[in-house]
Amino acid sequence: MGGASSRHQQDATSNCSENATNSSNSSLFSSEELTKLKADYDTGGVEKVKTVVQQKVSELSYTYLNVAVTGQSGAGKSSFINAMRGLQFDDEGAAEVDCKEPTLELTGYKHPNLPNVCFWDLPGIGTVKFPANKYLKEMNFKRYDFFIVISAGRFTENDTKLAGEIKRLGKNFYFVRSKIDSDLYSKRKRGRQFNEEEELKKIRNDCVSKLQEAGIPSPKVFLISNFDLNLYDFSLLNKALEDGLPNIKKSAYIVALPNLNSGIVEKKRKELRKQVWMLATLSGGIGAVPVPGVSLGCDIGIVIGGIVHFRQCLGLNDSSLQSLAKRAGKPVEDLKAVVTTPLVGGEITPDVINRLAWGAAAVTISAIELALDTIPVIGSIFGAGSSFLMTYKLLSGALDDLTESAQKVVAAAFGTENDPNQTSVR
């Protein structure tokens, strides 16, 4: 028994050293914030660390992500906005599609589960109501984190003017060529033989060259289908958008993505994992409530709130499952049938949490094992009998269970062949 324990400790120490270098949690904190976190613990203990962590949790809760989507009428803006929010055109709160009149009003569409994330449908520049010289002021450009300029054909002179103004303001912008599936379908209907990859390359190069001629030196053009975001350049667009955002906003963007494939679900798990230790840090001994069947107490409100948030971000609430079933053309019962955790489909209570049967296993974890989960800077400062430990283990287990079910739901909806690394054509 002692030999096994010694080997475990040696392996844990080795892995801990490696994870200290590759901490995935640190992306929510700047290096200066991590240094302050360590200094606060050294001078004020856990209570002072709680203050810093609470500020970061509050920052996560009150960070807004505003995405501007613009382009000419008929380009597919509304369909894109709906797709990015995981909605179909006839879902409640969906942007109206196939509207014959051009967009004349600035309209915001909040994410159905994460109201701090909003997609804005901007009227096209250069219309009678919004001439180019008044457009920036009327649209309040400084509000948006980045801009997506959508076209169903060639980008117009007004599109390039808009890009120039966005660049002048120091904002990122991305050109999206929509309705690629319709273009390829039309070619097939005409009975012409063609190489799809070559055709996509031709469309992309034509867009790039026209934009360069209009004065955009290095335009980024992404080809997409609003009806199947797994195809063409969506994964490349998604990566570009992520890379162009600062840490907190990047996290908000990732967890707001629709569950299109297993890769997106795994990205969400990694982002949400960064929040687990912070929520556990806020769980103090005062007022800790024992979970039925477990001797240690925890802040049950933090645990339940965290699980509800994870469930929404992973698309496992009822409305998200309904929307995903409609998108996939499957009965929602088929998706719900593969869910294996009691954390989906009802109210989260202490009894539900106890049914996960972590029980005594939760109290045997060592401080070294805590460090293995890449808790930055303060990974092993909490005692194994703390409320922190119980909360941490419950939230970690819940996140793993929910992620497993989300992966199964995506596979049931789209099949296991949806590999985002293989569906992009470049």
Side-chain angles (χ1 to χ4, degrees):
M1 185 75 168
S5 177
S6 176
R7 285 194 302 274
H8 174 79
Q9 184 166 347
Q10 288 174 357
D11 292 343
T13 303
S14 174
N15 289 333
C16 178
S17 176
E18 179 182 349
N19 283 327
T21 305
N22 300 303
S23 171
S24 62
N25 290 291
S26 61
S27 65
L28 291 179
F29 289 81
S30 66
S31 57
E32 292 80 8
E33 288 173 326
L34 289 173
T35 300
K36 176 174 171 51
L37 198 64
K38 178 64 166 64
D40 283 345
Y41 176 72
D42 290 342
T43 59
V46 174
E47 288 305 314
K48 196 165 183 181
V49 167
K50 276 187 178 181
T51 302
V52 178
V53 173
Q54 180 63 68
Q55 290 173 349
K56 183 60 65 171
V57 171
S58 296
E59 187 180 350
L60 280 167
S61 300
Y62 294 105
T63 292
Y64 288 83
L65 180 66
N66 290 295
V67 180
V69 182
T70 187
Q72 297 302 307
S73 178
K77 292 183 296 176
S78 296
S79 294
F80 178 81
I81 288 171
N82 289 336
M84 291 297 287
R85 297 187 301 145
L87 299 179
Q88 297 290 287
F89 71 95
D90 55 349
D91 286 334
E92 182 179 355
E96 185 178 357
V97 300
D98 297 328
C99 182
K100 302 303 180 184
E101 297 298 323
T103 302
L104 296 178
E105 301 293 339
L106 173 66
T107 309
Y109 297 94
K110 291 184 177 180
H111 190 281
N113 297 327
L114 303 167
N116 287 6
V117 177
C118 188
F119 291 82
W120 294 86
D121 186 352
L122 273 61
I125 188 173
T127 62
V128 174
K129 187 171 182 179
F130 296 105
N133 61 341
K134 294 183 179 179
Y135 192 79
L136 267 67
K137 183 178 179 181
E138 294 283 347
M139 294 299 105
N140 191 14
F141 265 34
K142 293 182 179 180
R143 167 194 295 169
Y144 311 110
D145 293 288
F146 59 84
F147 294 75
I148 294 175
V149 184
I150 296 184
S151 175
R154 292 184 177 181
F155 292 95
T156 67
E157 180 182 354
N158 282 332
D159 292 331
T160 58
K161 285 181 181 178
L162 178 60
E165 293 299 328
I166 297 169
K167 184 177 180 180
R168 188 176 63 80
L169 289 173
K171 301 277 188 174
N172 288 336
F173 59 93
Y174 307 86
F175 290 103
V176 169
R177 173 64 160 81
S178 65
K179 303 186 180 182
I180 293 299
D181 47 346
S182 298
D183 292 343
L184 297 181
Y185 176 76
S186 296
K187 277 194 169 293
R188 293 189 187 99
K189 285 289 287 183
R190 291 199 294 267
R192 295 176 58 184
Q193 295 293 321
F194 67 94
N195 180 292
E196 182 173 300
E197 187 172 347
E198 287 298 319
E199 186 64 25
L200 294 173
K201 184 177 180 180
K202 186 189 301 181
I203 293 172
R204 187 183 297 106
N205 289 344
D206 180 63
C207 290
V208 169
S209 64
K210 294 296 188 297
L211 288 167
Q212 287 175 330
E213 290 172 9
I216 308 297
S218 301
K220 300 174 183 177
V221 177
F222 301 91
L223 315 183
I224 69 164
S225 162
N226 288 329
F227 298 102
D228 193 341
L229 293 182
N230 276 304
L231 296 177
Y232 316 120
D233 289 345
F234 178 72
S235 65
L236 298 173
L237 171 64
N238 192 38
K239 187 177 188 309
L241 297 178
E242 290 175 25
D243 291 346
L245 288 169
N247 294 335
I248 295 286
K249 289 182 181 281
K250 177 178 178 178
S251 183
Y253 174 77
I254 289 173
V255 299
L257 285 169
N259 284 0
L260 303 171
N261 52 59
S262 61
I264 288 176
V265 174
E266 179 58 21
K267 275 186 180 182
K268 290 185 178 184
R269 186 194 70 81
K270 289 179 179 177
E271 287 303 315
L272 295 172
R273 187 77 173 180
K274 299 170 186 176
Q275 300 179 28
V276 169
W277 73 269
M278 292 191 290
L279 294 174
T281 301
L282 301 182
S283 177
I286 299 176
V289 179
V291 176
V294 181
S295 60
L296 285 181
C298 65
D299 190 323
I300 197 66
I302 287 178
V303 172
I304 292 174
I307 291 173
V308 170
H309 176 63
F310 296 165
R311 187 167 66 178
Q312 289 180 320
C313 292
L314 288 165
L316 293 174
N317 54 315
D318 282 343
S319 60
S320 295
L321 289 171
Q322 290 280 358
S323 294
L324 182 61
K326 286 175 64 177
R327 174 176 283 274
K330 302 281 181 69
V332 70
E333 291 75 17
D334 288 1
L335 305 192
K336 291 182 176 181
V338 302
V339 173
T340 55
T341 174
L343 298 175
V344 174
E347 184 182 1
I348 307 298
T349 65
D351 287 335
V352 170
I353 295 171
N354 190 49
R355 285 169 57 195
L356 297 172
W358 293 321
V363 304
T364 60
I365 187 172
S366 69
I368 289 178
E369 287 176 296
L370 283 179
L372 286 178
D373 268 330
T374 63
I375 302 173
V377 182
I378 56 171
S380 60
I381 65 175
F382 295 90
S386 66
S387 175
F388 166 89
L389 171 61
M390 193 68 241
T391 305
Y392 182 83
K393 283 299 292 182
L394 288 172
L395 287 174
S396 294
L399 178 57
D400 289 342
D401 275 17
L402 289 167
T403 301
E404 181 181 352
S405 286
Q407 294 284 19
K408 289 178 179 178
V409 166
V410 168
F414 302 116
T416 56
E417 71 277 3
N418 267 347
D419 182 351
N421 295 318
Q422 297 179 7
T423 52
S424 295
V425 180
R426 196 64 172 165

